[in-house]
Amino acid sequence: MIVTTGGRYNDETLSKAKDIARRYNIKFVVRKKRAVEEMKAHYDDDIIVVGNDEISISPKEKVAVKYHPNFALVRAKRLLNKEKDALIEAAELESGMSFLDCTMGLAADSVIASLAAGPAGKVIALERSFIIYLTTREGLASYDTNIKEIDDAMRRVETIHQDYTDYLKTCSDNSFDIVYFDPMFTSEISSSQSLRAIEKVTHNESLNKEAVDEAKRVARRKVVLKDHFRSTRFEEFGFKQHIRKTSKVHYGVISMNSEFDF
């Protein structure tokens, strides 16, 4: 993987690109007006492109991935307007709580959790794919929504590049209020552009019993699963499925005050 700038850049962008290369120990290459596809072919490597307003990663033979809060921005504005959010309701997440997002992706749910948990809370987000991790980590640190409460929530999310099963094994019992999984859907939701983009560069691994068992040990209050409404994982792993008649996305919950929340 190499780092370069956008086609048009200023001194600040150049400095930022070099800083990213240094922090992640990635080679920096001067753009020299070359097209990204030309650079990928020449270096036979993934390209991180640092633009004046955004960062994108263009993997070999795959589409570019850019950070954007997408629908999370709409959800966050609704929360600030005292409207309900399905994830927050399912998790019963309140100010001051801790939330472990095992499947960060572009961190839409992590941002919403951070907004709900507030400055007194804690949100940690795990991502196994380095490409997604770097894109999202840098995006959360720099993206400007022009809404202070949302920007602050984005900055508070702590990101970690690690497999969630491995991370859960290192956690103490009852160390997070909520443990959350949003694995790649087994049934494609074709209307979601962000899901289609991530699918090309993420690790498509299925949720397994070991991870769920570890999550139940780590969670003080709830383990929450987000999945397609037809998913068999709700029943397979003992999640109580919250039916949402107008949505293909459902949440499942295991409450820690009973074994299977039935």
Side-chain angles (χ1 to χ4, degrees):
M1 182 177 290
I2 63 174
V3 179
T4 191
T5 61
R8 296 181 179 179
Y9 61 90
N10 52 36
D11 290 342
E12 182 180 352
T13 303
L14 179 62
S15 177
K16 183 176 181 180
K18 290 181 177 179
D19 179 61
I20 288 174
R22 177 188 58 79
R23 286 190 286 112
Y24 292 97
N25 194 26
I26 302 171
K27 181 179 179 180
F28 173 78
V29 176
V30 179
R31 181 71 176 263
K32 295 181 179 178
K33 297 184 179 181
R34 291 174 291 183
V36 171
E37 292 302 316
E38 178 186 349
M39 295 182 70
K40 283 199 293 186
H42 178 78
Y43 292 101
D44 190 29
D45 209 344
D46 302 332
I47 308 290
I48 300 172
V49 181
V50 181
N52 294 336
D53 300 315
E54 64 182 11
I55 295 173
S56 65
I57 298 184
S58 186
K60 292 189 302 180
E61 302 175 359
K62 295 175 182 176
V63 297
V65 177
K66 298 179 182 179
Y67 177 80
H68 190 282
N70 296 310
F71 189 56
L73 187 56
V74 176
R75 292 168 62 193
K77 290 177 180 178
R78 289 174 179 171
L79 271 184
L80 291 175
N81 198 36
K82 308 300 181 183
E83 297 180 45
K84 295 180 180 180
D85 182 86
L87 169 60
I88 303 308
E89 285 198 308
E92 296 185 301
L93 183 62
E94 299 176 356
S95 178
M97 287 187 181
S98 55
F99 183 94
L100 176 62
D101 184 350
C102 291
T103 46
M104 178 174 71
L106 295 180
D109 290 323
S110 291
V111 171
I112 296 303
S114 180
L115 189 61
K122 178 176 70 172
V123 174
I124 293 180
L126 311 175
E127 178 54 50
R128 182 180 172 188
S129 166
F130 181 72
I131 290 177
I132 296 297
Y133 163 74
L134 190 154
T135 304
T136 303
R137 176 185 170 93
E138 295 300 320
L140 289 171
S142 61
Y143 193 91
D144 186 5
T145 67
N146 294 315
I147 302 173
K148 185 178 186 304
E149 295 89 340
I150 301 176
D151 290 345
D152 288 347
M154 293 168 66
R155 309 298 186 260
R156 288 195 300 267
V157 176
E158 179 182 348
T159 59
I160 298 176
H161 175 226
Q162 189 171 0
D163 173 82
Y164 58 73
T165 303
D166 292 341
Y167 183 84
L168 285 166
K169 289 178 179 179
T170 69
C171 295
S172 303
D173 293 357
N174 305 314
S175 51
F176 286 88
D177 289 306
I178 311 297
V179 177
Y180 175 66
F181 295 102
D182 177 13
M184 293 300 295
F185 291 173
T186 52
S187 299
E188 180 185 3
I189 299 182
S190 59
S191 61
S192 175
Q193 295 180 355
S194 60
L195 283 177
R196 292 202 303 271
I198 290 178
E199 185 179 15
K200 295 180 181 298
V201 292
T202 194
H203 293 277
N204 294 328
E205 56 183 329
S206 181
L207 188 64
N208 59 71
K209 184 177 184 300
E210 180 182 22
V212 174
D213 287 345
E214 288 291 338
K216 289 161 67 176
R217 178 185 62 78
V218 170
R220 277 190 294 268
R221 296 172 179 265
K222 293 179 183 292
V223 181
V224 180
L225 169 66
K226 177 182 179 181
D227 214 333
H228 190 275
F229 77 101
R230 291 198 184 101
S231 174
T232 61
R233 287 184 283 217
F234 295 115
E235 182 177 1
E236 180 181 359
F237 297 118
F239 287 88
K240 180 179 179 181
Q241 187 172 351
H242 290 200
I243 305 301
R244 303 172 66 206
K245 294 182 179 179
T246 59
S247 175
K248 294 180 179 179
V249 177
H250 286 186
Y251 293 91
V253 175
I254 297 174
S255 293
M256 303 322 298
N257 57 4
S258 62
E259 185 178 2
F260 295 113
D261 195 30
F262 288 145

